[in-house]
Amino acid sequence: MKSISNLLTLAALGGLVASLPATAGTSRIDEATLPGLTGPVQVLTDTDGLPHIFGTTELDVVRVQGWVHARDRMFQMDSLRREASGTLAELVGPAALGSDVELRTLGLRRGAEASLDVLSAETIAGLEAYAEGVNAWLDANPLPAEYALYEITAIPEWTPVDSLVLAKALAFSLSFDIDAGATETLMTYEAVGDAAGFDGAALFFDDLNRSAPFDPASTVPDATGKRVVGSRGPAISTAARLAAAANRWRPSSQAVQAAVEYAERAAAIPLMQPSLDRRSHPNGSNEWVISAELAAAGRPILSNDPHLSLGTPATFYHNHLRALPDGLEVSGSSLPGLPYVVLGQNAHITWGATTNGTDVTDMYEEEVVTDPDSPTFQSTVYQGQLEPTEFIGQLFWYNILGDEVDNNIIPAPPGGTVDGVFIAPLTVIVPRRNNGAIVVLDGTFGLSIQYTGTGPTRELDTFRMWNKAQNLDEFRDALQFFDFGSQNFAYADVEGNIAYFTSAEVPVREDLQAGVINGLPPSFIRNGQGGNEWLPVANPQPGQAIPYEILPPSEQPSTVNPQAGFFINANNDPAGNTLDNDPYNELRPGGGIYYLERSYAIGTRAGRITDVINNLAGQRLITIQDMQNLQADVVMLDAQVLTPYLLAAFDNAQAGDAPQLLAALATDPRVIEAAGRLAAWNHSTPTGVIEGYDASDIDGKRSPPTADEIDASIATTIYSVWRSSVLRNVIDAPLQALGLPTPGSGQSMKALRHLLDEFDTQQGVGASGLDFFSVDGLADADDRRDYLLLLSLSDALDNLAGPDFAGAFAGSQAQDDYRWGRLHRVVLRSLPGGDFDTPPNGGTFPPSFDDLDGLATDGGFGVVDASSHSARAANTDAFMFGSGPVRRYVGRPGFLTRILAESALPGGNSGVTGSPFATNLLGRWLTNDYFPMRIRRGGINAALSSNELFVPEDDGGAR
């Protein structure tokens, strides 16, 4: 990681020129015609592979953007639109039919088609121009190499709906959830608890699946010192609240089993996987903004790094669009398949985003009966009345692979099976559920899903308006069209304003508005026959899309120029509602429960970022370099919290009065050495190997680790394997003894901290009455706690020297061998896999080690520079990670002028294997270095790689 002082020089270079001459970096101009253009468009690609597209009209510029996206990312664009549309099997064969059936049932493409009818005329024109650019490239060029693997020689043309379905798919992956696992776990705990004599609901809500985060950082309260809305009542155990409820409805065992089977099918579908355990493994991202008053340059600083699946090619594509007569000049991250820029900056404002976990999905148990008066002969039962359903016919096709016949795509038999997948001929729609589908139907029983993204929405209007916005009011006006795909948006501008807004429409449930929970809360299966409905719209909000009552903007978490001088969001609780472990005791103005979500991210990233910024602000003014260093931060906050408990246990075991069972652990030379290493550790997580990529390296060039880095690396390995052992011994063992399911990583870590923090009063016994620190032969509770903590360290050292880690450490008992980089690795996966993955990306980017997959990087569980893995990871490959920053960005608005910024991408702009721009940015991303966001013409010319000129067809190619 290096300084960005060179940016100050680049920002001062050059200025805007009105004509389109040959530029300073090259004497060659490659000229081509492009149908539909009204004037010339120049594409200057800089040495980082980033195109700067200059024209005189907005539509000409996005038309060429479509061409450039197709040139560099056509296979990615096509495969993603097929996946979201439920037609992926037509490309990759019958293995994708299960995905196609489920996603066609949910209907993302139906929602995209409906959205085309509500978008502004200007956005539709942009979508059409973009599609024309994509299709012009398809008409003029052969398909990318990946298609040969699938024996495909032609693909459908691009349409505006294809762009919209990609936008729907991304929003879906960030906001849709399935309530199956939580419902099954709760009901299992309740049933076993009734028989075994403990409180099963308290075990779920108070002990193991706590709403309260690991760290209490919360966006708006921390920034403003105030709650978002209303008033807070006394914290009440959710278990106690449900026990006292007048309506104790629970879903049937058939509904729970069907929901679990549905979740198992979803687990095989990449686009649906994030929905399965969102509250335990929420989608990530970081953002924070520093006010001018706290910044060294006297200007705001905005930092943002969204975390999504790390793939080849990268999720985002960096481009710069300029059509000044139409008021367009914007630079930043676009999504291949969509026009404009999604996250970035223009001459006046800059913005970033993180995922907001707001609950906008409900699953219902439905009674479905035969009804001759219904057009479909089926109705659902609501409050004793029959409500007709609707049917949509479905026909699926799939590609026959390996027969050496090009484009051999055949229909799947409706109502039959292919490779064990049932080919559903009909999708059943429940109009009451925002036209949501019944995803499971078995006789008179059904499971339906109500979701805010099912119908027409207008997120692309928001992005187009932001691309051209000049101030805070225009940014806020555009936000009203961001209807679903809940996000936290960070904002800064050249006037010195900073702001935070949450987005998307949040439905108001009838029972919560009445001040009660009817049956189970919204994050569980609900009763479809009444009592759990989304209220019909009575107070329509500006730009509202869904036909239900939603929270008004005044009740959405937001702040403008907060008194703290900064705000942060890392998918943590934006309003502070969950900090007391009671997400249902905030009241709306005028009455009703103010509900956003039951549980957010674990909070380690948010806590660490908040601590660092507070410490910096208490010492000196903050710089851009500080913010880039914070994006690269790999200190594990959970280790800062939990290691002292382990070291205290070691000290207690060495005391003269410790019982023999405990004292014996502290005499083990391996435990003594490991405890010494952990006591000296600063909780940072470097790779400790020359083959690894660390933030201390520069521009992707690896350097030998220092002695301190090696020591920290070894301590990281020992602690990380101890973490998995202590969860097995403290959380899992008492549950498994009762045949109970265990919670996910984040929930388990929150539970462990709570048990330890409250040990003096609770003695390791949960609110449920279950003892999590039971040890035969030890009467004292403190001794039992210390024994299990130290036993877990001994177990970890056994594991590291055993067969589960033989691939990394070859059975070595020498702790000097336990380098973190041998475990913590990443592979940027592609759809075809194999040589298209990175590494090796066609041999252009080799793996770190000859004997292990992937690239070794610093980082680990819950760190700011997101690179997390399961908290229960316990073998050579279990510490690999697959999601992280798909973009890093730090920007500083100037004084009523342009914005100084740098960014990073995990790969390159090109998705063409072998292209010089396929992996050229990856090394810098791995070592937390950045590329400059060149805006001024002089800076672009000074770093020019190629110069292309697109002219209208009627120009005849002559200039």
Side-chain angles (χ1 to χ4, degrees), residues 576-623:
N577 290 9
T578 65
L579 302 189
D580 60 356
N581 203 49
D582 184 355
Y584 311 110
N585 67 334
E586 296 278 345
L587 302 179
R588 297 184 64 199
I593 295 173
Y594 177 62
Y595 170 71
L596 296 173
E597 166 62 347
R598 187 178 68 79
S599 178
Y600 291 87
I602 182 174
T604 53
R605 286 181 288 112
R608 173 65 181 170
I609 295 165
T610 301
D611 288 347
V612 170
I613 292 176
N614 274 321
N615 288 336
L616 286 170
Q619 298 172 22
R620 57 177 170 79
L621 295 176
I622 296 172
T623 68

Coordinates of all heavy atoms in Angstrom, one line a residue, residues 576-623:
G576 N -30.2 1.6 15.9 CA -30.0 1.2 17.3 C -31.1 0.5 17.9 O -31.1 0.2 19.1
N577 N -32.1 0.0 17.1 CA -33.2 -0.7 17.7 C -32.9 -2.0 18.3 O -33.6 -2.5 19.2 CB -34.3 -0.9 16.6 CG -34.9 0.3 16.1 OD1 -34.5 1.4 16.4 ND2 -35.9 0.2 15.3
T578 N -31.8 -2.7 17.9 CA -31.6 -4.0 18.4 C -30.5 -4.0 19.5 O -30.2 -5.1 20.0 CB -31.0 -4.9 17.2 OG1 -29.7 -4.4 16.8 CG2 -32.0 -4.9 16.1
L579 N -30.0 -2.9 19.9 CA -28.9 -2.9 20.9 C -29.3 -3.5 22.2 O -28.4 -4.0 22.9 CB -28.3 -1.5 21.0 CG -27.8 -0.8 19.8 CD1 -27.1 0.5 20.1 CD2 -26.9 -1.7 18.9
D580 N -30.6 -3.4 22.6 CA -31.0 -3.9 23.9 C -31.6 -5.3 23.7 O -32.2 -5.8 24.6 CB -32.1 -3.0 24.5 CG -33.3 -2.8 23.6 OD1 -33.3 -3.3 22.5 OD2 -34.2 -2.1 24.1
N581 N -31.3 -5.9 22.6 CA -31.8 -7.3 22.3 C -33.3 -7.4 22.2 O -33.9 -8.4 22.2 CB -31.3 -8.3 23.3 CG -31.3 -9.7 22.7 OD1 -30.8 -10.0 21.6 ND2 -31.9 -10.7 23.4
D582 N -34.0 -6.2 22.0 CA -35.4 -6.2 21.8 C -35.7 -5.3 20.6 O -35.8 -4.1 20.7 CB -36.1 -5.6 23.0 CG -37.6 -5.7 22.9 OD1 -38.1 -6.1 21.8 OD2 -38.3 -5.3 23.9
P583 N -35.9 -5.9 19.4 CA -36.1 -5.1 18.2 C -37.6 -4.7 18.1 O -37.9 -4.0 17.1 CB -35.8 -6.1 17.1 CG -36.1 -7.4 17.6 CD -35.8 -7.4 19.1
Y584 N -38.4 -4.9 19.1 CA -39.8 -4.6 19.0 C -40.3 -3.6 20.0 O -41.5 -3.5 20.3 CB -40.7 -5.9 19.1 CG -40.2 -7.0 18.2 CD1 -39.5 -8.2 18.7 CD2 -40.3 -6.9 16.8 CE1 -39.1 -9.2 17.9 CE2 -39.8 -8.0 16.0 CZ -39.2 -9.1 16.6 OH -38.7 -10.1 15.7
N585 N -39.4 -2.9 20.7 CA -39.9 -2.0 21.7 C -39.7 -0.5 21.3 O -39.8 0.4 22.2 CB -39.2 -2.3 23.1 CG -37.7 -2.0 23.0 OD1 -37.1 -2.1 22.0 ND2 -37.1 -1.7 24.2
E586 N -39.4 -0.2 20.1 CA -39.4 1.1 19.6 C -40.8 1.4 19.0 O -41.4 0.5 18.3 CB -38.4 1.3 18.4 CG -37.0 1.1 18.9 CD -36.4 2.4 19.5 OE1 -37.0 3.5 19.4 OE2 -35.3 2.3 20.2
L587 N -41.3 2.6 19.3 CA -42.7 2.9 18.9 C -42.7 4.0 17.8 O -41.9 5.0 17.9 CB -43.5 3.4 20.1 CG -43.6 2.4 21.2 CD1 -44.4 3.0 22.4 CD2 -44.2 1.1 20.8
R588 N -43.5 3.8 16.8 CA -43.7 4.9 15.8 C -44.4 6.1 16.3 O -45.2 6.0 17.3 CB -44.5 4.3 14.6 CG -43.9 3.1 13.9 CD -44.7 2.7 12.7 NE -44.8 3.8 11.7 CZ -45.7 4.0 10.8 NH1 -46.7 3.1 10.7 NH2 -45.6 5.0 9.9
P589 N -44.1 7.3 15.8 CA -44.9 8.4 16.1 C -46.4 8.1 15.8 O -46.8 7.7 14.8 CB -44.4 9.5 15.2 CG -43.0 9.1 14.8 CD -43.1 7.6 14.8
G590 N -47.2 8.3 16.8 CA -48.7 8.0 16.6 C -49.0 6.6 17.0 O -50.2 6.3 16.9
G591 N -48.1 5.7 17.3 CA -48.4 4.4 17.7 C -47.9 3.3 16.8 O -47.7 3.6 15.6
G592 N -47.8 2.1 17.2 CA -47.4 1.0 16.4 C -45.9 0.7 16.7 O -45.1 1.6 17.0
I593 N -45.5 -0.5 16.5 CA -44.1 -1.0 16.7 C -43.3 -0.5 15.5 O -43.7 -0.7 14.3 CB -44.0 -2.5 16.8 CG1 -44.7 -2.9 18.1 CG2 -42.6 -2.9 16.8 CD1 -44.8 -4.4 18.3
Y594 N -42.2 0.2 15.8 CA -41.3 0.6 14.7 C -40.3 -0.5 14.5 O -39.4 -0.8 15.2 CB -40.5 1.9 15.2 CG -39.5 2.4 14.2 CD1 -39.9 2.8 13.0 CD2 -38.2 2.5 14.6 CE1 -38.9 3.3 12.1 CE2 -37.2 3.0 13.7 CZ -37.6 3.4 12.5 OH -36.6 3.9 11.6
Y595 N -40.5 -1.2 13.4 CA -39.8 -2.4 13.1 C -39.0 -2.3 11.8 O -39.6 -1.9 10.7 CB -40.7 -3.7 13.0 CG -40.0 -4.9 12.5 CD1 -39.1 -5.6 13.2 CD2 -40.4 -5.4 11.2 CE1 -38.5 -6.7 12.7 CE2 -39.8 -6.6 10.7 CZ -38.8 -7.2 11.5 OH -38.2 -8.4 11.0
L596 N -37.7 -2.5 11.8 CA -37.0 -2.5 10.6 C -36.4 -3.9 10.3 O -36.5 -4.4 9.1 CB -35.8 -1.5 10.7 CG -36.1 -0.1 10.8 CD1 -34.9 0.7 11.1 CD2 -36.8 0.5 9.6
E597 N -35.9 -4.6 11.3 CA -35.2 -5.9 11.1 C -34.9 -6.5 12.5 O -34.8 -5.7 13.5 CB -33.9 -5.7 10.3 CG -33.0 -6.9 10.3 CD -33.5 -8.1 9.7 OE1 -34.8 -8.2 9.4 OE2 -32.8 -9.1 9.4
R598 N -34.9 -7.8 12.6 CA -34.7 -8.4 13.8 C -33.2 -8.5 14.2 O -32.9 -8.4 15.4 CB -35.3 -9.9 13.8 CG -35.2 -10.5 15.2 CD -35.8 -11.9 15.2 NE -35.0 -12.9 14.4 CZ -33.9 -13.4 14.9 NH1 -33.4 -13.2 16.1 NH2 -33.2 -14.3 14.1
S599 N -32.3 -8.6 13.3 CA -30.9 -8.8 13.6 C -30.1 -8.3 12.4 O -30.4 -8.7 11.2 CB -30.6 -10.2 13.9 OG -29.2 -10.4 14.2
Y600 N -29.0 -7.6 12.6 CA -28.1 -7.0 11.6 C -26.8 -7.8 11.6 O -26.7 -8.9 12.2 CB -27.9 -5.6 11.8 CG -29.2 -4.7 11.5 CD1 -30.1 -4.5 12.5 CD2 -29.4 -4.2 10.3 CE1 -31.2 -3.7 12.3 CE2 -30.6 -3.5 10.0 CZ -31.5 -3.2 11.0 OH -32.6 -2.5 10.8
A601 N -25.8 -7.3 10.9 CA -24.5 -7.9 10.9 C -23.9 -8.0 12.3 O -24.3 -7.3 13.2 CB -23.6 -7.1 10.0
I602 N -23.0 -8.9 12.5 CA -22.4 -9.1 13.8 C -21.9 -7.9 14.4 O -21.9 -7.7 15.7 CB -21.3 -10.2 13.7 CG1 -20.7 -10.5 15.0 CG2 -20.2 -9.8 12.7 CD1 -19.7 -11.7 15.0
G603 N -21.4 -6.9 13.7 CA -20.9 -5.6 14.2 C -19.5 -5.4 14.4 O -19.0 -4.4 14.9
T604 N -18.6 -6.4 14.1 CA -17.2 -6.3 14.3 C -16.6 -5.2 13.4 O -15.7 -4.5 13.8 CB -16.5 -7.6 14.1 OG1 -16.8 -8.2 12.8 CG2 -16.9 -8.6 15.2
R605 N -17.0 -5.2 12.1 CA -16.4 -4.2 11.2 C -16.9 -2.8 11.7 O -16.1 -1.9 11.7 CB -16.9 -4.5 9.8 CG -16.2 -5.6 9.1 CD -16.7 -5.8 7.7 NE -18.0 -6.4 7.6 CZ -19.1 -5.8 7.2 NH1 -19.0 -4.5 6.7 NH2 -20.2 -6.4 7.1
A606 N -18.2 -2.7 12.0 CA -18.7 -1.4 12.4 C -18.0 -0.9 13.7 O -17.6 0.3 13.8 CB -20.2 -1.4 12.6
G607 N -17.8 -1.8 14.6 CA -17.1 -1.4 15.9 C -15.7 -1.0 15.7 O -15.2 0.0 16.3
R608 N -15.0 -1.7 14.9 CA -13.6 -1.4 14.6 C -13.4 -0.1 13.9 O -12.6 0.8 14.2 CB -12.9 -2.5 13.8 CG -11.5 -2.3 13.3 CD -10.5 -2.1 14.5 NE -9.2 -1.8 13.9 CZ -8.1 -1.5 14.7 NH1 -8.3 -1.4 16.0 NH2 -7.0 -1.2 14.1
I609 N -14.3 0.1 12.9 CA -14.2 1.4 12.1 C -14.5 2.6 13.0 O -13.8 3.6 13.0 CB -15.2 1.4 10.9 CG1 -14.8 0.3 9.9 CG2 -15.2 2.8 10.3 CD1 -15.9 0.0 8.9
T610 N -15.5 2.4 13.9 CA -15.9 3.5 14.8 C -14.8 3.8 15.8 O -14.5 5.0 16.0 CB -17.2 3.1 15.6 OG1 -18.3 2.9 14.6 CG2 -17.6 4.2 16.5
D611 N -14.2 2.7 16.3 CA -13.0 2.9 17.2 C -11.9 3.7 16.6 O -11.3 4.6 17.2 CB -12.6 1.6 17.8 CG -13.5 0.9 18.7 OD1 -14.5 1.6 19.2 OD2 -13.4 -0.3 19.0
V612 N -11.5 3.3 15.4 CA -10.4 3.9 14.7 C -10.7 5.4 14.4 O -9.8 6.2 14.6 CB -10.0 3.1 13.4 CG1 -9.0 3.9 12.6 CG2 -9.5 1.7 13.7
I613 N -11.9 5.7 13.9 CA -12.2 7.1 13.6 C -12.2 7.9 14.8 O -11.7 9.0 14.9 CB -13.5 7.1 12.8 CG1 -13.3 6.5 11.4 CG2 -13.9 8.6 12.6 CD1 -14.6 6.5 10.6
N614 N -12.8 7.4 15.9 CA -12.8 8.2 17.1 C -11.4 8.4 17.7 O -11.1 9.5 18.1 CB -13.7 7.4 18.2 CG -15.1 7.7 18.1 OD1 -15.5 8.8 17.9 ND2 -16.0 6.7 18.3
N615 N -10.6 7.4 17.6 CA -9.2 7.6 18.0 C -8.5 8.6 17.2 O -7.7 9.5 17.7 CB -8.5 6.2 18.0 CG -8.9 5.3 19.1 OD1 -9.4 5.7 20.1 ND2 -8.8 4.0 18.9
L616 N -8.6 8.5 15.9 CA -8.0 9.5 15.0 C -8.5 10.9 15.3 O -7.7 11.9 15.4 CB -8.2 9.1 13.5 CG -7.5 7.9 12.9 CD1 -8.0 7.6 11.6 CD2 -6.0 8.2 12.8
A617 N -9.8 11.1 15.4 CA -10.4 12.4 15.6 C -9.9 13.0 16.9 O -9.9 14.2 17.0 CB -11.9 12.3 15.5
G618 N -9.6 12.1 17.9 CA -9.2 12.6 19.2 C -7.7 13.0 19.2 O -7.3 13.6 20.2
Q619 N -7.0 12.7 18.1 CA -5.6 13.0 18.1 C -5.2 14.1 17.1 O -4.3 14.9 17.4 CB -4.8 11.7 17.7 CG -4.9 10.6 18.7 CD -4.3 9.3 18.2 OE1 -3.4 9.3 17.3 NE2 -4.8 8.1 18.7
R620 N -5.8 14.1 15.9 CA -5.4 15.0 14.9 C -6.5 15.0 13.8 O -7.5 14.3 13.8 CB -4.1 14.6 14.3 CG -4.1 13.2 13.7 CD -2.8 12.8 13.1 NE -2.7 11.4 12.8 CZ -3.2 10.8 11.7 NH1 -3.9 11.5 10.9 NH2 -3.1 9.5 11.5
L621 N -6.2 15.9 12.8 CA -7.1 15.9 11.6 C -6.9 14.7 10.7 O -5.8 14.2 10.7 CB -6.9 17.2 10.8 CG -7.3 18.5 11.6 CD1 -7.0 19.7 10.7 CD2 -8.8 18.5 11.9
I622 N -7.9 14.3 10.1 CA -7.9 13.0 9.4 C -7.6 13.2 7.9 O -8.0 14.1 7.2 CB -9.2 12.3 9.5 CG1 -9.5 11.9 11.0 CG2 -9.3 11.0 8.7 CD1 -10.8 11.4 11.3
T623 N -6.8 12.3 7.3 CA -6.3 12.4 5.9 C -6.9 11.3 5.0 O -7.4 10.3 5.5 CB -4.8 12.3 5.8 OG1 -4.4 11.0 6.2 CG2 -4.1 13.3 6.8

